Amino acid sequence: MRRTTPFTTTTAPVAVIGTIALSLTGSPAHAGPSAPAERAQLRGLPAAAGTVEALASAATALAQASARPKSHTVVRGDTVSAIAARHGLRTADVLAWNGLGWKSIIHPGDVLRLSPSESATTMHRAKAVSRDTSHGASDARGAGTHTVTKGDTLWAIARSEGVSLARLLRANDLTTSSIIYPGQKLEIPGRAAAPAAASAARKSASSSGSAAKRVVLDDEQVRGVKTIIAVGRELGVPEKGIAIALATAMVESWIRNVDYGTHDSLGLFQQRPSMGWGSADEVRDPRRATAAFFGGPGDPNGTATRGLLDIDGWRDMEFGAAAQAVQVSAYPHRYATWEDQAYEWLEAYG
């Protein structure tokens, strides 16, 4: 997969994750977490055994969070893992909050976030408030809802109402596997706009590059979609996580198990053997590659790589940002453009 090195400046690099640069002229080296304990910590293993110890640990963490600054300015000799430890944080979290990867280099003067950006959380809350408000308003007007009739499907309703399936699901707290019944009322997000206006808005969004051009999947792509969905279901990945994986595979390989890519990237997710994602044969095993993308307890790479489930707060992140947190791509904006179609594939083949 394609990777970028953020925080590039003219200052000589002084630190790499887990490594302290001992001179100003030394070449930067790359290293993973500083110790096995750090890797164990990435998996969220309990810090203490027993109720008393756990409560004490939680109290300490709360106190640290209250006193923790919002950012840290890098100085000579700093490493991401050392900064994280100093503030009682996990290295993986600091990396994700700052858009860094395990091989990223930091420089004196760089400012690192020590908490998630408020934008994702604020946006998530705003959506929830908006949904509640619009629901009450629509009830008062007798508009903004759709009454389910016999033969209706979520996909057909979304299409007829001029909204995306993803928005319809989110507005009603449904998933693609939810069952709807005749007489049930569904909220239609953005219903205040006429269908023609909604259609024009979608065309405008598509032409501006905010939505990918609609594609019809061929047999090879359908097999890839089904594999990703199957692995996601087996691992208990939420609907959003599976949709993110589908969109990521489309961006990275056009959902094809390719034997080529940038540098040594291969397979559905363009994972790189040189970056620890597995051997060339392993990253071209669709099921294994998908499991590695999801990460978590079922990660075939163990703690060598970080998958979607290893990223704290990924459920509340914007769709494309969550994909980028795993892939660290040079083109982070591309993932979100496939969100709607990814949910459609999930409904069609899941």
Side-chain angles (χ1 to χ4, degrees):
M1 69 189 65
R2 299 171 291 278
R3 296 179 180 266
T4 58
T5 302
F7 297 113
T8 54
T9 70
T10 56
T11 307
V14 300
V16 184
I17 300 163
T19 303
I20 298 179
L22 300 178
S23 70
L24 292 176
T25 58
S27 299
H30 298 285
S34 58
E38 177 71 12
R39 279 298 194 184
Q41 191 181 26
L42 298 185
R43 291 297 179 189
L45 298 178
T51 304
V52 175
E53 290 84 351
L55 289 174
S57 177
T60 301
L62 183 59
Q64 289 176 335
S66 300
R68 183 183 305 134
K70 292 184 178 180
S71 63
H72 173 89
T73 301
V74 176
V75 298
R76 184 183 306 172
D78 268 347
T79 69
V80 176
S81 58
I83 294 169
R86 189 181 313 152
H87 296 285
L89 299 169
R90 302 191 316 164
T91 301
D93 292 338
V94 177
L95 292 175
W97 297 335
N98 292 279
L100 298 172
W102 289 108
K103 301 293 183 179
S104 297
I105 298 172
I106 57 176
H107 303 78
D110 288 342
V111 178
L112 301 185
R113 271 195 223 102
L114 299 180
S115 63
S117 67
E118 295 181 359
S119 59
T121 302
T122 301
M123 190 172 297
H124 178 69
R125 290 174 180 168
K127 286 181 180 178
V129 172
S130 174
R131 186 164 64 238
D132 292 341
T133 304
S134 64
H135 184 71
S138 66
D139 286 345
R141 296 193 305 266
T145 61
H146 174 95
T147 301
V148 177
T149 60
K150 186 177 181 179
D152 268 350
T153 66
L154 290 167
W155 164 244
I157 293 170
R159 190 180 185 89
S160 67
E161 297 291 349
V163 299
S164 71
L165 176 62
R167 292 186 64 207
L168 179 65
L169 294 176
R170 286 196 294 268
N172 293 278
D173 293 323
L174 299 173
T175 69
T176 54
S177 58
S178 296
I179 298 174
I180 55 177
Y181 304 91
Q184 181 177 352
K185 289 187 181 297
L186 299 180
E187 180 185 345
I188 307 301
R191 176 68 176 273
S199 176
R202 287 199 310 279
K203 289 180 179 178
S204 175
S206 178
S207 63
S208 67
S210 61
K213 183 178 180 180
R214 187 159 299 279
V215 300
V216 177
L217 302 179
D218 59 27
D219 290 343
E220 181 181 359
Q221 291 171 310
V222 169
R223 285 195 299 273
V225 166
K226 289 182 176 179
T227 296
I228 292 170
I229 294 173
V231 173
R233 299 280 193 226
E234 292 168 11
L235 295 176
V237 178
E239 304 282 310
K240 179 179 178 179
I242 298 176
I244 289 171
L246 292 172
T248 301
M250 174 56 80
V251 170
E252 298 292 352
S253 68
W254 207 242
I255 318 184
R256 300 187 190 283
N257 192 24
V258 295
D259 60 357
Y260 56 85
T262 304
H263 303 298
D264 58 336
S265 301
L266 299 168
L268 283 175
F269 295 94
Q270 289 289 277
Q271 293 161 343
R272 299 182 60 185
S274 64
M275 303 298 284
W277 288 90
S279 67
D281 289 338
E282 287 173 335
V283 298
R284 291 200 67 231
D285 178 336
R287 286 184 60 84
R288 187 189 187 284
T290 301
F293 174 85
F294 287 131
D299 193 335
N301 292 326
T303 58
T305 54
R306 184 186 67 167
L308 182 65
L309 302 182
D310 301 315
I311 300 169
D312 281 351
W314 72 267
R315 294 171 186 253
D316 294 327
M317 295 172 68
E318 287 297 295
F319 189 92
Q324 171 66 3
V326 179
Q327 299 297 98
V328 195
S329 168
Y331 306 98
H333 63 282
R334 293 181 178 177
Y335 303 112
T337 66
W338 292 97
E339 179 176 2
D340 288 346
Q341 291 188 71
Y343 276 107
E344 292 168 16
W345 302 331
L346 181 54
E347 182 181 39
Y349 301 106

